Amino acid sequence: MAANTRFAVAIHAMGMLAFGDELNVTSDDIARSVRTNPVVVRRLLAQLTRQGLVMVKLGAGGGARLTRPPEQIALSDIYLALGEGPIFQVPLLDETHDCAVGRNVGPVLNAVLLRAEKGLLAELQTITLADVIGKVMRRMKRQGCARHVPGAGKARK
Amino acid sequence: MAANTRFAVAIHAMGMLAFGDELNVTSDDIARSVRTNPVVVRRLLAQLTRQGLVMVKLGAGGGARLTRPPEQIALSDIYLALGEGPIFQVPLLDETHDCAVGRNVGPVLNAVLLRAEKGLLAELQTITLADVIGKVMRRMKRQGCARHVPGAGKARK
DNA sequence: TTCAAGTGTAACTAAAGTAGTTTCATTTAA
DNA sequence: TTAAATGAAACTACTTTAGTTACACTTGAA
């Protein structure tokens, strides 16, 4: 898998932190839930922490929690915090292009593609972490769910 | 460069075809303009041809041209023709997830990320190839341009 | 009818990004 | 003092894009 799952994993992790509420959620908890490696999770959490979305406590009993309620976190906040590069790139067509058209294509394409990405970002701004959690909860209820105690159990193995 | 320049190169190529009008533009012409390899261009044109945006003529004097005027080609048409996979992927969290929440996160995330991509696509739908060409032309004029004869010269080296 | 100019395609290499893993220093609560 | 955490570095593996070479096939024109 070399696909871009970073954003999805980050949302998943943030969702778990929201569930955890006042409790510290460990990278191990998250990793087990996403079926990945704790280090991968910590790398993501480190970025989210640097951007002020998450606070981390070191040492025994440590872990991560949100810095603000999930209603105040838009998915665009998470996306931007990851600092992903542009989705589309324009091969730098030199300013020294021998064709007058060629010299102007690059900047125009850059502007156009940036505009497209803003369309994506605008959509992400309309969705909060709380919305995502709500969708998950409703989906659970529709299926008739069972156990799982949100931040309580924290089944240590 | 392992970045995603495919879309930008495709737009650039289509733009050249629009300029070429009735003339056949060769993959070599395009490759020289984008500073890449003719094979790379042909691979892109092949996809665009399969999706009906471009028609290609084999043999001497051959090359590519658009199947319809650039006013009728939205950037979303080009993007979709390239058949890129989803921008974001969700690591498949098994349906057998031991946590009831976990079983429902995957589908919800998929839906959310799909919605974000649709925001991007919606933006691309509002821009035609002709718009892009117009922007380039206007930018040229603003800078006080010089020569270049659109489909005429075809400087053979 | 031959040849040069094209495309189509396969095969290979190179470079970059993501994911995964191990390891170790450091912090902290009990 | 010890166990439970994070932080970070180092390394491997895999995937995707880009670039290149090579060659079969098509076509127009001398």
Side-chain angles (χ1 to χ4, degrees), chain B:
Chain B
M1 222 193 306
N4 208 18
T5 61
R6 284 165 49 85
F7 188 31
V9 171
I11 298 176
H12 188 126
M14 296 282 283
M16 286 187 71
L17 299 195
F19 263 79
D21 199 27
E22 298 292 303
L23 267 78
N24 288 318
V25 182
T26 70
S27 60
D28 213 68
D29 291 336
I30 299 172
R32 225 174 303 122
S33 176
V34 192
R35 303 253 195 268
T36 182
N37 195 288
V39 174
V40 172
V41 173
R42 286 206 287 270
R43 284 201 278 243
L44 282 173
L45 286 181
Q47 285 189 280
L48 297 170
T49 302
R50 265 180 245 120
Q51 302 303 317
L53 294 180
V54 165
M55 43 188 296
V56 169
K57 198 177 166 203
L58 295 183
R65 65 176 77 177
L66 299 181
T67 55
R68 55 181 200 259
E71 291 78 16
Q72 292 173 29
I73 300 177
L75 294 193
S76 55
D77 295 329
I78 301 177
Y79 179 71
L80 291 173
L82 295 183
E84 305 277 354
I87 298 174
F88 306 118
Q89 276 182 270
V90 178
L92 351 64
L93 319 167
D94 359 282
E95 304 69 29
T96 63
H97 207 284
D98 50 312
C99 155
V101 178
R103 276 193 298 276
N104 287 283
V105 169
V108 167
L109 283 186
N110 261 317
V112 163
L113 296 181
L114 202 73
R115 181 170 145 195
E117 281 200 41
K118 281 197 181 142
L120 183 144
L121 221 39
E123 199 64 38
L124 289 178
Q125 260 168 0
T126 69
I127 312 172
T128 69
L129 188 54
D131 292 333
V132 175
I133 293 171
K135 282 176 199 290
V136 173
M137 299 305 275
R138 278 195 296 280
R139 196 171 194 280
M140 267 175 63
K141 280 185 190 135
R142 269 205 307 278
Q143 300 201 338
C145 97
R147 53 176 167 146
H148 183 80
V149 189
K154 300 202 75 195
R156 290 266 151 63
K157 181 171 53 188

Side-chain angles (χ1 to χ4, degrees), chain A residues 107-124:
Chain A
V108 168
L109 284 186
N110 260 318
V112 164
L113 296 181
L114 201 73
R115 180 169 145 195
E117 280 200 42
K118 281 198 181 140
L120 182 144
L121 220 41
E123 198 65 39
L124 289 178

Side-chain angles (χ1 to χ4, degrees), chain A residues 1-3 5-6 36-37 39 43 57 59-60:
Chain A
M1 225 193 305
T5 61
R6 285 165 48 86
T36 182
N37 194 287
V39 174
R43 283 201 277 242
K57 199 176 166 202

